[in-house]
Amino acid sequence: MQTLKRLRLFLNTRLGFFTLLLFFFWLKTITAYLVDFNLGVTGIYQYFVLLLNPIGTTMLLLGLALYIKKPIISYLTMFLIYIANSALLFFNVIYYREFTDFMTINTMLGYSKVSEGISGSSFALMKPHDIFYVIDLALIILLFITRYLKFNANPFKKINAFAIMSFSIMLTLATLTLGEIDRPQLITRTFDRNYIVKYLGIDSYTVYDSFKTVKNNRVRDTAESYDLNKVLDFTKSHYASPNPSMYGVAKGKNVIVIHLESFQQFLINFKVNGKEVTPFLNSLYNGKQTYSFPNFFNQVGQGKTSDAENLLETSIYGLAQGSVFTSLGSENTFEAAPAILNQTSGYSSAVFHGNTGSFWNRDTVYKSMGYQYFFDSSYYDNSAKNTLEYGLKDKLLFNDSVKYLERLQQPFYAKFITVSNHFPFDIDSQNKDFEVPNTGDTSVNNYFQTAHYLDESVKEFFDYLQKSGLYNNSMVVLYGDHYGISNSRNVKLAKLLGKSSETWSSFDNTQMQRVPFMVHIPGINNGGVQPEYGGEVDVLPTLLHLLGQDSSSYVQFGTDLFSKTHDQTVAFRNENFITPDYTVLDSTIYDNTTGKEVTHPSKSVQETIKKEQKKVSIELNLSDTVNNQNLLRYYTPNNFKPVQPAEYNYKNQYDKLLKLQQELKNNSTSLYSEKGNKSTTNLYKTDAPELKPASESSSSDSKISSAATSAAHKSNSSSN
Ligand code: GP9
Ligand code: MN
């Protein structure tokens, strides 16, 4: 009784009211975190951060009202702040149900082209338990009406208000630090809005997003047609016309892009203890039906995988800092491979990726790229045994995607993003079948195992392509997105590569940025190793020309690798570059054949390098202008219609595919229809232990499991 009385007395102070609101809001936020959002929280540490993160920001916001002297105004202000914050939380809950993502400022203001904000129809998304998010408001008002709570007329000391504010700022900073410890570069790289909310809370996320939006808008608003003209001048004069003997070699074929996660060129034909690490990829690489590029470099920045995707499918660079996908991808205009191929030759398009759709903001950006279908982790059985840190294991990704792939209308452009070969290269023991070297660094050792696993996965997929007949009318493009072994770990690798760790240099680190680029076209016989130097930015014009598409009117910074006038200078994101003869790092010139620094370059070498350096800087700068000022919104290439992202929706895609197939009747070109309405999934053979009958797992049936995202999210080490 006594305590109840005391509690009531406390609640009737201004601090008491503050505490009450703080407690209610904390409770609502945690409910949203655990019941409505799927943040993939694992382990005590992450739960601790989750429980802690709403406190600092809520105190900070409500605490503002404590500075107001007049009791009524102070109480009212505090309550209004509370209502506004509750509304933000609640709208996010509703929005999340539709988009599995959080609202950005642009969505709230209705500026986002990609997904509409909360609309009338969104209220159909309400659930019975939503009452919990509003009942507190009624309760508080009731407490005042019944006079259980009263306005306390005693002034609140400024110094106390200040103390509360300082404490709340400290708490917010502490949360940020705890988040950064678990997820380094949380803010700078912004992998995923889910992560920001998980570690920092919904309020901090909104503030962060507002800052970003204001900054982006400011830069964007400075755009002038003059800037676009400069870009067009460059891309037009840089354009390399196709090699007639290669133009249209793969015309009309399906395009299957296989993203080999963290896969470096040095693995190709590499042996450990006398055994090839990737025998299947080697066979492709060495064969006559593949154009293979050993001097092909990754050009990614902090956006890693997403930068690679952007470079490959738009031929525009990533940003000097952060990822284009996450920083600008929600608003920018894209003129990307899937949209181009759809508009020029009726290609359908899909991405298959066993991680959460919001990672790298893919679920949003893919719409602007014109991807018709995006099969993310929600389309696969992502139970714990099937996943590694970044989602579905590769063998399962390929196997489980076939039921969707066979329903795609042909020709299609389909991209598979693998994940198993990702730092820290950990794979469960039942999938280990390769004797790894001993370099003294576990992640380096295990890299060979996961690369080997990836190789087996690709082989199984190729076997299926052949059996199902897809193989003959497809062109398969394979590429490594970026390094797996970081510069700091390269020294551990040196000995295996026949080099010394003592003399290992930045020149060597740069050479390690080679990643495979292979274009496998069944039926050709003039393939083989191509000596040309090139990078990820060169892929799109190359592919367009192979498919018989004119690329001259697009804003693309790369050039066709097969063209006689292909530009062989490869720019890295930090303005370093490499040519067939020289590697230039911070103005230091290295000779590619000796690996030694050119201390006294001849006049002509000096001049060439100066010219190339200037071009590289201009090119990267122009690319930044295109991205930062969203210049493509002002430029529509010939025969191209701007993509309308809001027309895309990645829900219930399997049903959509079936429906389309039915509507098209005899005109359906899906593999399934071609086979006389028979599935080809039984043709897929995999030795994936997860699918062995002994284990109680089911095969290609997709289950939308609530655990789907958690395994994919549990990772806390994206970069090494
Ligand atoms: C996640 C995967 C990894 O979905 O693509 O991205 P990365 O860490 O390599 O940039
Ligand atoms: Mn990657």
Side-chain angles (χ1 to χ4, degrees):
M1 225 39 219
Q2 200 60 17
T3 24
L4 264 184
K5 235 190 195 151
R6 242 188 258 147
L7 178 71
R8 187 175 168 188
L9 269 180
F10 174 65
L11 289 179
N12 270 298
T13 61
R14 227 181 286 185
L15 187 65
F17 185 58
F18 170 87
T19 314
L20 181 72
L21 295 189
L22 174 64
F23 174 69
F24 277 163
F25 193 73
W26 178 82
L27 206 62
K28 287 203 289 191
T29 312
I30 298 302
T31 309
Y33 284 172
L34 300 180
V35 180
D36 287 298
F37 301 148
N38 196 346
L39 297 173
V41 189
T42 43
I44 293 190
Y45 185 92
Q46 291 193 359
Y47 273 104
F48 175 71
V49 180
L50 193 78
L51 294 181
L52 189 73
N53 78 38
I55 304 177
T57 45
T58 314
M59 281 179 76
L60 189 63
L61 286 172
L62 297 175
L64 292 176
L66 293 174
Y67 284 100
I68 302 172
K69 246 205 193 120
K70 270 221 163 112
I72 291 229
I73 304 197
S74 169
Y75 270 85
L76 267 181
T77 313
M78 202 184 295
F79 194 46
L80 284 178
I81 295 175
Y82 181 76
I83 293 175
N85 215 11
S86 299
L88 178 71
L89 178 71
F90 185 54
F91 285 144
N92 267 297
V93 166
I94 304 269
Y95 186 84
Y96 196 91
R97 285 185 195 142
E98 175 72 10
F99 298 103
T100 336
D101 211 337
F102 298 97
M103 290 196 293
T104 61
I105 291 293
N106 281 323
T107 14
M108 284 185 233
L109 301 176
Y111 291 144
S112 175
K113 303 180 299 164
V114 181
S115 45
E116 60 276 27
I118 294 293
S119 63
S121 68
S122 305
F123 287 95
L125 296 164
M126 296 241 244
K127 289 189 175 173
H129 78 258
D130 289 347
I131 187 82
F132 182 75
Y133 291 108
V134 284
I135 195 129
D136 52 326
L137 304 176
L139 185 74
I140 291 164
I141 295 173
L142 199 74
L143 288 176
F144 274 103
I145 294 177
T146 56
R147 306 200 51 80
Y148 183 86
L149 284 185
K150 290 183 211 107
F151 297 127
N152 188 317
N154 291 341
F156 196 77
K157 281 204 188 114
K158 275 237 162 67
I159 177 103
N160 289 341
F162 185 72
I164 287 179
M165 183 181 247
S166 315
F167 180 72
S168 60
I169 292 176
M170 217 181 67
L171 210 58
T172 310
L173 290 178
T175 324
L176 180 67
T177 316
L178 291 175
E180 276 281 336
I181 291 174
D182 204 39
R183 192 28 113 162
Q185 297 178 300
L186 179 66
I187 292 292
T188 43
R189 289 183 68 199
T190 337
F191 317 90
D192 192 335
R193 284 188 269 277
N194 263 308
Y195 289 174
I196 307 260
V197 173
K198 171 162 122 180
Y199 290 109
L200 307 183
I202 225 93
D203 288 337
S204 299
Y205 156 71
T206 309
V207 171
Y208 163 80
D209 185 62
S210 316
F211 271 118
K212 219 181 67 180
T213 308
V214 170
K215 194 180 130 234
N216 289 350
N217 289 352
R218 223 184 261 156
V219 180
R220 197 169 298 161
D221 292 345
T222 59
E224 286 174 24
S225 54
Y226 167 75
D227 296 310
L228 179 65
N229 289 340
K230 274 203 301 195
V231 171
L232 291 174
D233 283 350
F234 180 87
T235 53
K236 290 232 152 75
S237 69
H238 193 227
Y239 165 76
S241 57
N243 178 336
S245 68
M246 299 299 289
Y247 194 75
V249 168
K251 199 173 174 71
K253 284 188 185 271
N254 296 318
V255 182
I256 300 175
V257 178
I258 303 183
H259 171 112
L260 304 168
E261 179 57 43
S262 303
F263 198 98
Q264 292 174 235
Q265 176 65 24
F266 84 89
L267 288 166
I268 297 290
N269 291 336
F270 195 75
K271 285 186 182 164
V272 173
N273 301 322
K275 274 218 167 103
E276 288 179 76
V277 185
T278 59
F280 181 68
L281 291 171
N282 298 348
S283 72
L284 290 181
Y285 177 86
N286 300 319
K288 280 283 165 245
Q289 303 199 77
T290 310
Y291 299 109
S292 316
F293 292 85
N295 295 315
F296 180 88
F297 291 79
N298 85 78
Q299 297 171 294
V300 308
Q302 290 177 321
K304 303 287 281 294
T305 295
S306 63
D307 277 1
E309 291 184 61
N310 184 62
L311 278 151
L312 262 103
E313 288 174 326
T314 68
S315 190
I316 295 177
Y317 291 92
L319 300 173
Q321 254 166 11
S323 138
V324 183
F325 270 30
T326 55
S327 352
L328 302 167
S330 303
E331 272 73 48
N332 273 14
T333 297
F334 287 77
E335 284 151 16
I340 296 176
L341 290 175
N342 175 262
Q343 294 190 21
T344 54
S345 14
Y347 275 66
S348 62
S349 55
V351 180
F352 302 90
H353 181 51
N355 194 2
T356 29
S358 57
F359 200 99
W360 285 131
N361 201 20
R362 287 181 174 109
D363 51 353
T364 306
V365 178
Y366 283 168
K367 294 176 180 170
S368 297
M369 290 184 138
Y371 269 114
Q372 295 171 329
Y373 305 96
F374 174 25
F375 296 93
D376 67 0
S377 58
S378 64
Y379 285 87
Y380 302 93
D381 174 2
N382 262 32
S383 47
K385 70 171 183 2
N386 287 354
T387 53
L388 296 169
E389 286 210 357
Y390 285 84
L392 194 64
K393 294 177 198 168
D394 298 341
K395 280 187 184 172
L396 303 176
L397 170 76
F398 287 115
N399 178 68
D400 296 357
S401 296
V402 158
K403 86 174 231 198
Y404 304 121
L405 186 71
E406 67 177 7
R407 302 283 184 161
L408 274 186
Q409 293 299 312
Q410 302 186 70
F412 55 68
Y413 175 90
K415 172 161 79 167
F416 291 81
I417 307 177
T418 64
V419 291
S420 305
N421 187 42
H422 192 292
F423 183 81
F425 314 112
D426 239 350
I427 197 159
D428 48 319
S429 57
Q430 54 174 357
N431 276 303
K432 283 189 179 156
D433 59 352
F434 191 76
E435 201 188 322
V436 298
N438 185 3
T439 61
D441 183 308
T442 318
S443 69
V444 176
N445 298 345
N446 291 342
Y447 182 54
F448 296 93
Q449 170 61 72
T450 46
H452 180 72
Y453 173 83
L454 173 55
D455 183 71
E456 290 178 340
S457 316
V458 176
K459 178 178 188 307
E460 291 181 350
F461 182 55
F462 262 76
D463 287 345
Y464 161 79
L465 291 178
Q466 267 161 345
K467 274 198 211 133
S468 67
L470 268 182
Y471 179 78
N472 292 325
N473 57 339
S474 300
M475 155 166 96
V476 189
V477 178
L478 303 106
Y479 74 96
D481 60 342
H482 50 73
Y483 67 78
I485 310 296
S486 61
N487 286 350
S488 59
R489 289 194 160 89
N490 276 341
V491 278
K492 296 281 184 197
L493 205 61
K495 212 168 137 211
L496 267 190
L497 301 174
K499 299 225 170 195
S500 134
S501 51
E502 266 100 71
T503 55
W504 189 267
S505 66
S506 347
F507 170 83
D508 296 315
N509 283 334
T510 309
Q511 308 310 311
M512 293 297 283
Q513 301 315 311
R514 285 179 165 82
V515 288
F517 176 59
M518 304 189 232
V519 184
H520 183 78
I521 309 178
I524 61 154
N525 53 17
N526 66 341
V529 174
Q530 316 288 310
E532 278 75 21
Y533 272 60
E536 291 170 331
V537 77
D538 299 318
V539 170
L540 184 56
T542 308
L543 295 187
L544 288 178
H545 291 170
L546 286 173
L547 293 167
Q549 309 280 334
D550 176 10
S551 74
S552 59
S553 71
Y554 302 106
V555 170
Q556 295 176 349
F557 287 93
T559 57
D560 178 355
L561 287 157
F562 294 109
S563 166
K564 300 246 156 46
T565 51
H566 163 63
D567 181 356
Q568 294 204 69
T569 300
V570 186
F572 298 112
R573 196 41 265 202
N574 53 7
E575 299 196 9
N576 287 341
F577 64 94
I578 187 161
T579 73
D581 302 315
Y582 300 104
T583 299
V584 182
L585 310 175
D586 297 326
S587 326
T588 307
I589 309 170
Y590 296 86
D591 185 322
N592 284 350
T593 28
T594 63
K596 296 263 160 358
E597 191 183 331
V598 183
T599 40
H600 301 290
S602 68
K603 255 252 147 66
S604 85
V605 170
Q606 272 181 39
E607 241 144 59
T608 323
I609 296 296
K610 211 168 136 199
K611 209 179 91 214
E612 290 303 313
Q613 180 73 72
K614 197 168 160 209
K615 189 187 69 202
V616 164
S617 306
I618 291 177
E619 188 174 342
L620 289 166
N621 248 310
L622 289 173
S623 165
D624 288 345
T625 329
V626 172
N627 285 326
N628 292 327
Q629 304 189 350
N630 188 14
L631 287 183
L632 292 188
R633 73 193 142 142
Y634 299 129
Y635 179 73
T636 310
N638 294 342
N639 305 322
F640 188 83
K641 278 201 314 292
V643 177
Q644 303 299 329
E647 288 171 4
Y648 297 76
N649 182 323
Y650 299 141
K651 286 244 154 101
N652 307 318
Q653 301 176 105
Y654 189 53
D655 293 342
K656 283 182 200 157
L657 283 170
L658 299 189
K659 221 177 122 210
L660 180 63
Q661 200 177 272
Q662 257 163 21
E663 278 167 15
L664 289 169
K665 293 199 186 105
N666 289 341
N667 293 327
S668 166
T669 57
S670 70
L671 180 66
Y672 186 94
S673 303
E674 273 181 358
K675 295 273 173 193
N677 292 331
K678 259 180 60 198
S679 175
T680 59
T681 50
N682 61 316
L683 300 177
Y684 205 101
K685 296 283 170 279
T686 170
D687 66 2
E690 298 80 6
L691 299 176
K692 287 262 158 65
S695 68
E696 58 275 0
S697 66
S698 67
S699 65
S700 58
D701 253 8
S702 113
K703 283 184 207 127
I704 300 178
S705 88
S706 61
T709 44
S710 67
H713 270 303
K714 74 176 179 234
S715 107
N716 48 30
S717 45
S718 175
S719 61
N720 55 335

